[in-house]
Amino acid sequence: LEVPSMRALVLSSGAPQVLMGAADTHAADARVFFTCLSVVMLGEGPEMFRAAAELNSVQTMVRVASATAESRDDVIIVLSLLNSWAKASSRLAGQIATHGTALCITLARHYEDDVSMTMALLQFLTTIAEQSEAGGPVALLSGGALSFCQRVVEQHVHCVAREGKADDGAPATWRGAVLQMLQMLRSIVFSDASAAETFAEEDGGSILAMIDAVYRELNVQGKQYFDRETVELAGSIAEKAAESDPDGSVRQAYEAMAKWGTAMPGEEAPDAGAAAALAGAGAEGGP
């Protein structure tokens, strides 16, 4: 596969089916399974995607990742491969949306205090959200993605409460996770009208309200706590979803966010007390 002149011959000779079959047969042996995957990654293309679809390889990889959840490296390998497949193969995207969402929600609970893994999960879920024709947004909304999003915001608030300073490294990293989460939510609510309606019906407004509260309480010396991209993303999500929720929590969040540009909070640095109050409010309002 690494020799260009041999690649086409190898892929057309049945190697993808052999590799996928071996991975499925040896799924209980992590060493053999991940050795197979390392070769699969070298041969990505139509032949490999076809073999994966025929042999239900997505379900196998999800099963293995769930079983080896303790191993960050193994989980990252599976997420990376599924992420690549979802982008490249419409045939596999639907399977990945359904089974990948369930995997991420399971892993999110396992790694809920781990911001780097949370970022990896959110990046993968964003890829799923972008596969609208394969049912990605529907799979996310029905699979518990909004509950995951609420925990991401709550974790960020708790992190700031522990640190007591909004510009420390850990809170800033969680702030990046909030941005990644918003990119995923934007892909969902802008996919079609029904997705925006479901977002509102599933209490998406509570997530936006928490972000609004963070913005108003955790500012830094008069500057916007979230950067411009985060602010614009949150505002666009609220505006779009509010069209489907004229009298509900999304509309209220949108009206609050509409004042962000004109009604900046005070110039006092954030403190642990304000963050703790927000954390308590988030926990009470959680799913």
Side-chain angles (χ1 to χ4, degrees), residues 19-202:
L19 285 167
M20 292 300 181
D24 184 63
T25 299
H26 297 284
D29 186 329
R31 182 181 62 84
V32 177
F33 177 81
F34 284 100
T35 298
C36 291
L37 285 197
S38 68
V39 182
V40 166
M41 290 178 175
L42 295 175
E44 280 196 13
E47 298 89 350
M48 201 67 76
F49 299 148
R50 184 162 52 250
E54 292 171 355
L55 297 174
N56 295 319
S57 297
V58 170
Q59 289 92 317
T60 299
M61 285 196 283
V62 166
R63 186 172 70 251
V64 171
S66 298
T68 62
E70 296 288 344
S71 172
R72 291 172 54 89
D73 291 342
D74 290 350
V75 169
I76 290 296
I77 289 172
V78 172
L79 288 179
S80 176
L81 188 56
L82 290 177
N83 189 69
S84 178
W85 284 6
K87 290 179 177 180
S89 171
S90 57
R91 185 176 182 181
L92 291 174
Q95 296 180 36
I96 293 170
T98 300
H99 300 287
T101 297
L103 171 64
C104 280
I105 300 307
T106 298
L107 293 173
R109 288 192 288 268
H110 189 81
Y111 288 100
E112 63 179 359
D113 295 323
D114 187 325
V115 65
S116 62
M117 182 60 80
T118 296
M119 286 284 285
L121 294 172
L122 285 168
Q123 288 165 0
F124 177 56
L125 291 176
T126 300
T127 295
I128 292 178
E130 293 169 350
Q131 313 308 312
S132 57
E133 294 185 3
V138 174
L140 290 173
L141 290 170
S142 62
L146 293 187
S147 294
F148 176 33
C149 289
Q150 190 153 18
R151 286 198 296 274
V152 169
V153 181
E154 288 172 352
Q155 281 295 99
H156 170 60
V157 170
H158 283 299
C159 185
V160 175
R162 289 195 303 269
E163 298 292 337
K165 295 181 180 179
D167 57 354
D168 279 0
T173 307
W174 275 105
R175 187 165 53 194
V178 171
L179 173 59
Q180 184 67 52
M181 178 200 75
L182 289 172
Q183 291 171 340
M184 178 192 71
L185 291 178
R186 189 184 191 285
S187 293
I188 291 175
V189 300
F190 278 84
S191 61
D192 59 45
S194 64
E197 290 174 4
T198 303
F199 175 81
E201 292 169 358
E202 296 296 322

Side-chain angles (χ1 to χ4, degrees), residues 201-221:
E201 292 169 358
E202 296 296 322
D203 200 25
S206 66
I207 298 171
L208 298 176
M210 289 177 66
I211 292 173
D212 175 62
V214 170
Y215 175 87
R216 293 176 183 282
E217 294 293 337
L218 304 182
N219 60 306
V220 180
Q221 298 301 325

